Amino acid sequence: MTEREDLLVGEYPILPKQERAQQKRNALLESGRILFIEKGYEQTTAKEIAARAGVATGTFYRYFSDKRQLLMSLLEDKIDELLPPEPNWTTGNPELLLASLLESHMKRLNGMGLHRVLPELLHKDSELAEVLKEARKKIHSRILTGLKRAYDLGLTWKDLDLEKVAWSIMVLAESGNTEMGEHCKKEDFFGLAKVICRIVFPPDVLKKLLIENEE
Amino acid sequence: MTEREDLLVGEYPILPKQERAQQKRNALLESGRILFIEKGYEQTTAKEIAARAGVATGTFYRYFSDKRQLLMSLLEDKIDELLPPEPNWTTGNPELLLASLLESHMKRLNGMGLHRVLPELLHKDSELAEVLKEARKKIHSRILTGLKRAYDLGLTWKDLDLEKVAWSIMVLAESGNTEMGEHCKKEDFFGLAKVICRIVFPPDVLKKLLIENEE
Amino acid sequence: MTEREDLLVGEYPILPKQERAQQKRNALLESGRILFIEKGYEQTTAKEIAARAGVATGTFYRYFSDKRQLLMSLLEDKIDELLPPEPNWTTGNPELLLASLLESHMKRLNGMGLHRVLPELLHKDSELAEVLKEARKKIHSRILTGLKRAYDLGLTWKDLDLEKVAWSIMVLAESGNTEMGEHCKKEDFFGLAKVICRIVFPPDVLKKLLIENEE
Amino acid sequence: MTEREDLLVGEYPILPKQERAQQKRNALLESGRILFIEKGYEQTTAKEIAARAGVATGTFYRYFSDKRQLLMSLLEDKIDELLPPEPNWTTGNPELLLASLLESHMKRLNGMGLHRVLPELLHKDSELAEVLKEARKKIHSRILTGLKRAYDLGLTWKDLDLEKVAWSIMVLAESGNTEMGEHCKKEDFFGLAKVICRIVFPPDVLKKLLIENEE
DNA sequence: TATGAATGAGACTTCATTCAT
DNA sequence: TATGAATGAAGTCTCATTCAT
């Protein structure tokens, strides 16, 4: 539609319309994300989001039907990042492995920051609550699967309560994130990883695994 | 509650003014608490709180400067209930002991319910955030103290990272509450208690403690 | 609730709350009515209505859920005034009788003025459209009844199409109102009355009726 | 309509610029007309009109300064169709003649449909009100002329109030249109025509006219 | 003190109109 | 010229807070 046959030397980085729109949408998403994190969802207005994104109020409504939908879009974009990678307990040094998993998971979460906004929304938005519940279910089952595999290989405590332990790991991972906040250090992750390993593996198995993977 | 059907003889009201005022204040607090839990803090209006407490909107503002202050008062009243009792690991069956501690702590928390409202407030109210941070610090140090004692008695893993483990226990206890919600069963607490015990005690010590306390 | 035991000599015309509220409601209704007529429904804002009634915007919403409901209330209050009295053709000079009926009906309509606002609303408000349709049905059947009686007494043209004539009378009465507007004169009504009488009565009957009632 | 599938040989577009512009303008007018009728004037947005006409919002404003001007243009185009043909009472069967006049007039009005939109506009647009008033004046005088001719030929009631009767006929014709709406039947027009004839002609004259034209 | 009506700031949303492409 | 994204003024409505009774 837009004639572009004259973009001789690419001097102006004229972005095609769609791309510019996408940029604007992204600017709004980012602006919303930041404000939600900084001030909380309720305290953020559509007007502010637009202003911070450098557009007029009305423009906000071209891209999102309302604040809530912007948040939903944020989540859709990012929900996968909430999922930690499935840990493979049986290969490699489990403590180090876990520590690095925790660290990267947490880095991602913090980089996004949205998890801080979510609790405040569970009350008013049951759809969102559902989405998050599903996500947690996924996380839980992913952890559970890993545990099960280790259990079947006879690596774990014999009397491991898989469900409960999976839940504990999930909670510790989540909270580790929130709690330790910005000032997280390598040691913290490693410490947490050790706690988790102790929950899962008997000391002898653990020692064996550590030695095996030392080489 | 306030029977007054006998104020016929011009006696002074049975309840002195101050006490009646106190009752009203309490009604407002309770009304606020319930509504905050039911609908969330933001979604609750001063008018509603007043209505549910059976007083006029204006009366609300005689007792509280605003919604926030009401919440603060609620917390001041209840903050101590957030603190779990200091566990004594060295006396009695630690698993059962812990399970029952967890259960009663959770019952109290749920009975109050405010913890569900708090996350939504941390953004807008740094004073409140501070208050809660302090409370957690207290809880953490209380758990830490208990762990330290057990550690000094040589009951725990030798390489126990006291800080981290205290934190883990705190988190598990907190989350156990939120997560398991209404439908919590005895087994859940016991399962969680076992996980925590495994974090703290080596299996042989644990077995000894269990046997000792069986008699 | 409001102590009033001290209204000694009625010096201040302290109106009981309810009555003042009623006054305010009426002020809003009247303000709305006037503005709707002056500027049209769409062109009138809730804010304006409130301002003209001397109250704040929010007060408007204490009494009415929105503009539309205010209009509906106006109509409920006034809808009966839209109904013309049932004409009795057989008693008295029908021309004079009809002229005076038309005049008073029109005065009432004009005094209210709402009929000018209604057409603009039929598009967007089918409930209102229904209400008005019902009102017209009532008017039509009232006229029809009167005609029927005259017809049965053999006073009218033998081949009178009662339905159609009733409709014509209704339309002429309505339009007479709108059209002739402010500058209506006695003669206009009388002229219109004569037209209608000619539709209904053969000249000889009419003459007889006129003579009878001259005495 | 605009077949252009053959523009292969670099010929000039079959339609000169001006003509294409005219087409667009017409598309906009038609789109506006339809939407005004369907949804009402206020409820129709410029964007919608443009969309339905298959052009961009901005294009709307190239052809019309705003919605109002589009409506005015519509009226200018169509105002003549609002005028009924001048009835010739003295030739042919006046009842049938009138019935067919009414029918075709109404068909035209309904085909256009704009009359339903007009009432809502009289408030906000005095220029438009003026235009319509003029149109009605024309209609009235056209009817009046016809009546006058019949009167001068001695065909009508002797005491005919020409002005008033002309007005009544105009009103009945107009309303007939609106009221009877879509489901109008031949009989309705004929019935209305009879009413009007009775207003105008004494029965004997009417009978004579009918007989004369029967042959 | 208690009441609850009144206030008005401000959030949400729509849409006529402009303007860069 | 045509496009349709962008603008921002203006209307709707809510609610924390005040204040006359």
Side-chain angles (χ1 to χ4, degrees), chain A residues 71-109:
Chain A
L71 180 70
M72 285 305 207
S73 299
L74 274 177
L75 288 182
E76 267 163 40
D77 286 9
K78 311 266 185 175
I79 198 81
D80 290 330
E81 303 188 15
L82 286 166
L83 295 176
E86 182 176 349
N88 184 337
W89 306 89
T90 54
T91 310
N93 176 333
E95 287 178 350
L96 284 177
L97 194 64
L98 195 51
S100 99
L101 275 185
L102 287 172
E103 183 171 7
S104 68
H105 180 219
M106 182 156 149
K107 286 257 165 72
R108 260 181 296 120
L109 275 185

Short mmCIF file of all heavy atoms in Angstrom, two decimals, chain A residues 71-109:
data_model
loop_
_atom_site.label_atom_id
_atom_site.label_comp_id
_atom_site.label_asym_id
_atom_site.label_seq_id
_atom_site.Cartn_x
_atom_site.Cartn_y
_atom_site.Cartn_z
N LEU A 71 -1.89 -6.55 30.51
CA LEU A 71 -1.23 -7.48 31.44
C LEU A 71 -1.30 -8.90 30.91
O LEU A 71 -0.32 -9.64 30.93
CB LEU A 71 -1.91 -7.41 32.81
CG LEU A 71 -1.28 -8.36 33.81
CD1 LEU A 71 0.10 -7.87 34.19
CD2 LEU A 71 -2.14 -8.52 35.04
N MET A 72 -2.48 -9.27 30.41
CA MET A 72 -2.63 -10.61 29.88
C MET A 72 -1.64 -10.85 28.74
O MET A 72 -1.04 -11.93 28.65
CB MET A 72 -4.05 -10.82 29.38
CG MET A 72 -5.06 -11.02 30.51
SD MET A 72 -4.58 -12.38 31.63
CE MET A 72 -6.19 -12.89 32.24
N SER A 73 -1.51 -9.86 27.88
CA SER A 73 -0.56 -10.00 26.79
C SER A 73 0.85 -10.18 27.32
O SER A 73 1.61 -11.02 26.84
CB SER A 73 -0.61 -8.78 25.88
OG SER A 73 -1.89 -8.64 25.32
N LEU A 74 1.19 -9.37 28.31
CA LEU A 74 2.50 -9.51 28.94
C LEU A 74 2.69 -10.95 29.39
O LEU A 74 3.72 -11.57 29.14
CB LEU A 74 2.60 -8.59 30.16
CG LEU A 74 3.05 -7.17 29.90
CD1 LEU A 74 3.03 -6.37 31.19
CD2 LEU A 74 4.45 -7.17 29.31
N LEU A 75 1.67 -11.47 30.04
CA LEU A 75 1.80 -12.82 30.57
C LEU A 75 1.92 -13.85 29.45
O LEU A 75 2.75 -14.75 29.51
CB LEU A 75 0.61 -13.15 31.46
CG LEU A 75 0.64 -12.41 32.79
CD1 LEU A 75 -0.55 -12.81 33.64
CD2 LEU A 75 1.93 -12.71 33.53
N GLU A 76 1.08 -13.68 28.44
CA GLU A 76 1.16 -14.63 27.33
C GLU A 76 2.56 -14.63 26.73
O GLU A 76 3.12 -15.68 26.43
CB GLU A 76 0.14 -14.27 26.26
CG GLU A 76 -1.17 -15.01 26.45
CD GLU A 76 -2.28 -14.36 25.65
OE1 GLU A 76 -2.03 -13.94 24.50
OE2 GLU A 76 -3.40 -14.25 26.19
N ASP A 77 3.10 -13.43 26.58
CA ASP A 77 4.45 -13.34 26.04
C ASP A 77 5.45 -14.03 26.96
O ASP A 77 6.39 -14.66 26.51
CB ASP A 77 4.87 -11.88 25.89
CG ASP A 77 4.17 -11.21 24.73
OD1 ASP A 77 3.25 -11.82 24.17
OD2 ASP A 77 4.54 -10.08 24.39
N LYS A 78 5.21 -13.89 28.25
CA LYS A 78 6.26 -14.26 29.18
C LYS A 78 5.99 -15.53 29.97
O LYS A 78 6.87 -16.01 30.68
CB LYS A 78 6.44 -13.12 30.19
CG LYS A 78 6.57 -11.74 29.57
CD LYS A 78 8.01 -11.37 29.35
CE LYS A 78 8.11 -9.94 28.84
NZ LYS A 78 9.49 -9.49 28.73
N ILE A 79 4.78 -16.04 29.83
CA ILE A 79 4.42 -17.11 30.74
C ILE A 79 5.37 -18.29 30.64
O ILE A 79 5.65 -18.97 31.63
CB ILE A 79 2.96 -17.57 30.50
CG1 ILE A 79 2.42 -18.34 31.69
CG2 ILE A 79 2.87 -18.41 29.24
CD1 ILE A 79 1.95 -17.46 32.78
N ASP A 80 5.88 -18.49 29.43
CA ASP A 80 6.78 -19.62 29.27
C ASP A 80 8.07 -19.42 30.05
O ASP A 80 8.68 -20.39 30.51
CB ASP A 80 7.10 -19.83 27.79
CG ASP A 80 5.87 -20.34 27.06
OD1 ASP A 80 5.06 -21.03 27.71
OD2 ASP A 80 5.72 -20.04 25.88
N GLU A 81 8.43 -18.18 30.21
CA GLU A 81 9.65 -17.91 30.95
C GLU A 81 9.46 -18.23 32.43
O GLU A 81 10.42 -18.34 33.18
CB GLU A 81 10.07 -16.46 30.78
CG GLU A 81 10.25 -16.09 29.32
CD GLU A 81 10.84 -14.71 29.15
OE1 GLU A 81 11.36 -14.16 30.14
OE2 GLU A 81 10.76 -14.17 28.03
N LEU A 82 8.22 -18.29 32.83
CA LEU A 82 7.96 -18.63 34.22
C LEU A 82 8.28 -20.10 34.48
O LEU A 82 8.57 -20.49 35.60
CB LEU A 82 6.49 -18.36 34.57
CG LEU A 82 6.10 -16.89 34.72
CD1 LEU A 82 4.59 -16.73 34.73
CD2 LEU A 82 6.69 -16.34 36.02
N LEU A 83 8.17 -20.85 33.40
CA LEU A 83 8.42 -22.28 33.58
C LEU A 83 9.93 -22.52 33.67
O LEU A 83 10.68 -22.11 32.79
CB LEU A 83 7.86 -23.05 32.37
CG LEU A 83 6.35 -22.98 32.23
CD1 LEU A 83 5.92 -23.69 30.95
CD2 LEU A 83 5.70 -23.62 33.44
N PRO A 84 10.33 -23.17 34.69
CA PRO A 84 11.76 -23.50 34.78
C PRO A 84 12.03 -24.67 33.86
O PRO A 84 11.13 -25.43 33.53
CB PRO A 84 11.93 -23.91 36.24
CG PRO A 84 10.60 -24.48 36.62
CD PRO A 84 9.56 -23.78 35.77
N PRO A 85 13.27 -24.80 33.43
CA PRO A 85 13.58 -25.96 32.60
C PRO A 85 13.46 -27.22 33.46
O PRO A 85 13.64 -27.18 34.67
CB PRO A 85 15.04 -25.71 32.20
CG PRO A 85 15.56 -24.78 33.24
CD PRO A 85 14.41 -23.98 33.75
N GLU A 86 13.10 -28.27 32.82
CA GLU A 86 12.95 -29.53 33.55
C GLU A 86 14.33 -30.00 34.02
O GLU A 86 15.24 -30.18 33.21
CB GLU A 86 12.34 -30.58 32.63
CG GLU A 86 12.09 -31.89 33.31
CD GLU A 86 11.38 -32.85 32.36
OE1 GLU A 86 10.93 -32.38 31.30
OE2 GLU A 86 11.29 -34.03 32.68
N PRO A 87 14.49 -30.14 35.28
CA PRO A 87 15.82 -30.53 35.77
C PRO A 87 16.07 -32.00 35.50
O PRO A 87 15.19 -32.84 35.63
CB PRO A 87 15.73 -30.26 37.27
CG PRO A 87 14.27 -30.37 37.61
CD PRO A 87 13.50 -30.05 36.36
N ASN A 88 17.27 -32.26 35.11
CA ASN A 88 17.67 -33.65 34.93
C ASN A 88 18.64 -33.99 36.05
O ASN A 88 19.79 -33.61 36.05
CB ASN A 88 18.35 -33.81 33.57
CG ASN A 88 18.68 -35.25 33.31
OD1 ASN A 88 18.80 -36.04 34.27
ND2 ASN A 88 18.82 -35.62 32.05
N TRP A 89 18.14 -34.70 37.03
CA TRP A 89 18.89 -34.91 38.25
C TRP A 89 20.02 -35.92 38.09
O TRP A 89 20.93 -35.97 38.90
CB TRP A 89 17.97 -35.43 39.36
CG TRP A 89 16.79 -34.57 39.59
CD1 TRP A 89 15.60 -34.64 39.00
CD2 TRP A 89 16.72 -33.50 40.53
NE1 TRP A 89 14.75 -33.69 39.48
CE2 TRP A 89 15.43 -32.97 40.44
CE3 TRP A 89 17.63 -32.93 41.43
CZ2 TRP A 89 15.01 -31.91 41.22
CZ3 TRP A 89 17.22 -31.88 42.19
CH2 TRP A 89 15.92 -31.37 42.09
N THR A 90 19.86 -36.70 37.08
CA THR A 90 20.72 -37.88 37.05
C THR A 90 21.98 -37.69 36.23
O THR A 90 22.81 -38.56 36.15
CB THR A 90 19.92 -39.07 36.47
OG1 THR A 90 19.38 -38.67 35.21
CG2 THR A 90 18.80 -39.44 37.40
N THR A 91 22.08 -36.58 35.62
CA THR A 91 23.27 -36.33 34.83
C THR A 91 24.01 -35.14 35.40
O THR A 91 23.42 -34.08 35.56
CB THR A 91 22.89 -36.01 33.37
OG1 THR A 91 22.01 -37.00 32.91
CG2 THR A 91 24.14 -35.92 32.51
N GLY A 92 25.20 -35.28 35.70
CA GLY A 92 25.97 -34.15 36.18
C GLY A 92 25.83 -33.96 37.67
O GLY A 92 25.05 -34.63 38.34
N ASN A 93 26.61 -33.05 38.17
CA ASN A 93 26.59 -32.70 39.59
C ASN A 93 25.25 -32.05 39.93
O ASN A 93 24.97 -30.93 39.49
CB ASN A 93 27.74 -31.74 39.85
CG ASN A 93 27.74 -31.26 41.28
OD1 ASN A 93 26.70 -31.21 41.91
ND2 ASN A 93 28.93 -30.90 41.76
N PRO A 94 24.41 -32.73 40.69
CA PRO A 94 23.06 -32.20 40.89
C PRO A 94 23.03 -30.87 41.63
O PRO A 94 22.19 -30.03 41.34
CB PRO A 94 22.37 -33.30 41.70
CG PRO A 94 23.44 -34.17 42.23
CD PRO A 94 24.65 -33.99 41.38
N GLU A 95 23.97 -30.69 42.51
CA GLU A 95 23.94 -29.42 43.25
C GLU A 95 24.27 -28.25 42.33
O GLU A 95 23.56 -27.24 42.30
CB GLU A 95 24.91 -29.46 44.42
CG GLU A 95 24.41 -30.35 45.55
CD GLU A 95 25.41 -30.44 46.70
OE1 GLU A 95 26.56 -29.96 46.54
OE2 GLU A 95 25.03 -30.98 47.76
N LEU A 96 25.34 -28.41 41.60
CA LEU A 96 25.72 -27.34 40.69
C LEU A 96 24.66 -27.11 39.63
O LEU A 96 24.28 -25.99 39.31
CB LEU A 96 27.05 -27.67 40.00
CG LEU A 96 28.30 -27.50 40.87
CD1 LEU A 96 29.54 -27.93 40.11
CD2 LEU A 96 28.40 -26.04 41.31
N LEU A 97 24.17 -28.23 39.12
CA LEU A 97 23.15 -28.16 38.09
C LEU A 97 21.94 -27.37 38.58
O LEU A 97 21.45 -26.42 37.95
CB LEU A 97 22.72 -29.59 37.75
CG LEU A 97 21.91 -29.78 36.50
CD1 LEU A 97 22.75 -29.40 35.28
CD2 LEU A 97 21.46 -31.23 36.39
N LEU A 98 21.51 -27.78 39.75
CA LEU A 98 20.33 -27.15 40.32
C LEU A 98 20.59 -25.68 40.61
O LEU A 98 19.75 -24.82 40.33
CB LEU A 98 19.97 -27.90 41.61
CG LEU A 98 18.58 -27.63 42.16
CD1 LEU A 98 17.53 -27.82 41.08
CD2 LEU A 98 18.31 -28.58 43.32
N ALA A 99 21.76 -25.41 41.16
CA ALA A 99 22.08 -24.02 41.48
C ALA A 99 22.02 -23.17 40.22
O ALA A 99 21.45 -22.07 40.21
CB ALA A 99 23.47 -23.93 42.10
N SER A 100 22.55 -23.71 39.15
CA SER A 100 22.56 -22.87 37.95
C SER A 100 21.16 -22.76 37.36
O SER A 100 20.76 -21.72 36.84
CB SER A 100 23.56 -23.42 36.93
OG SER A 100 22.92 -24.18 35.95
N LEU A 101 20.38 -23.85 37.48
CA LEU A 101 18.99 -23.76 37.04
C LEU A 101 18.26 -22.69 37.83
O LEU A 101 17.55 -21.84 37.28
CB LEU A 101 18.28 -25.10 37.26
CG LEU A 101 18.43 -26.14 36.17
CD1 LEU A 101 17.57 -27.35 36.50
CD2 LEU A 101 18.03 -25.56 34.84
N LEU A 102 18.43 -22.76 39.13
CA LEU A 102 17.75 -21.79 39.98
C LEU A 102 18.16 -20.37 39.62
O LEU A 102 17.33 -19.47 39.51
CB LEU A 102 18.08 -22.06 41.45
CG LEU A 102 17.42 -23.29 42.07
CD1 LEU A 102 18.00 -23.56 43.46
CD2 LEU A 102 15.92 -23.10 42.16
N GLU A 103 19.44 -20.23 39.43
CA GLU A 103 19.93 -18.89 39.14
C GLU A 103 19.34 -18.35 37.84
O GLU A 103 18.84 -17.23 37.80
CB GLU A 103 21.46 -18.89 39.05
CG GLU A 103 22.01 -17.49 38.83
CD GLU A 103 23.53 -17.44 38.96
OE1 GLU A 103 24.14 -18.53 39.09
OE2 GLU A 103 24.07 -16.34 38.93
N SER A 104 19.38 -19.17 36.82
CA SER A 104 18.90 -18.62 35.56
C SER A 104 17.38 -18.41 35.59
O SER A 104 16.87 -17.42 35.09
CB SER A 104 19.29 -19.56 34.41
OG SER A 104 18.57 -20.77 34.50
N HIS A 105 16.71 -19.32 36.23
CA HIS A 105 15.26 -19.16 36.36
C HIS A 105 14.95 -17.85 37.05
O HIS A 105 14.09 -17.06 36.64
CB HIS A 105 14.67 -20.33 37.15
CG HIS A 105 13.19 -20.24 37.33
ND1 HIS A 105 12.58 -20.59 38.49
CD2 HIS A 105 12.21 -19.84 36.49
CE1 HIS A 105 11.27 -20.41 38.36
NE2 HIS A 105 11.03 -19.96 37.16
N MET A 106 15.67 -17.63 38.10
CA MET A 106 15.42 -16.45 38.90
C MET A 106 15.81 -15.18 38.17
O MET A 106 15.10 -14.19 38.22
CB MET A 106 16.28 -16.58 40.13
CG MET A 106 16.10 -15.48 41.08
SD MET A 106 16.60 -16.16 42.65
CE MET A 106 17.22 -14.66 43.40
N LYS A 107 16.91 -15.27 37.46
CA LYS A 107 17.32 -14.11 36.66
C LYS A 107 16.21 -13.75 35.69
O LYS A 107 15.85 -12.59 35.52
CB LYS A 107 18.61 -14.42 35.89
CG LYS A 107 19.86 -14.45 36.77
CD LYS A 107 20.69 -13.17 36.61
CE LYS A 107 21.71 -13.04 37.74
NZ LYS A 107 22.81 -14.03 37.59
N ARG A 108 15.68 -14.76 35.07
CA ARG A 108 14.61 -14.50 34.10
C ARG A 108 13.40 -13.88 34.78
O ARG A 108 12.86 -12.89 34.33
CB ARG A 108 14.21 -15.80 33.39
CG ARG A 108 14.85 -15.91 32.01
CD ARG A 108 14.42 -17.16 31.32
NE ARG A 108 14.90 -18.34 32.03
CZ ARG A 108 14.12 -19.27 32.55
NH1 ARG A 108 12.81 -19.19 32.38
NH2 ARG A 108 14.62 -20.29 33.19
N LEU A 109 13.03 -14.46 35.88
CA LEU A 109 11.87 -13.93 36.59
C LEU A 109 12.10 -12.49 37.00
O LEU A 109 11.25 -11.62 36.81
CB LEU A 109 11.60 -14.77 37.84
CG LEU A 109 10.77 -16.03 37.65
CD1 LEU A 109 10.51 -16.67 38.99
CD2 LEU A 109 9.45 -15.68 36.98
#
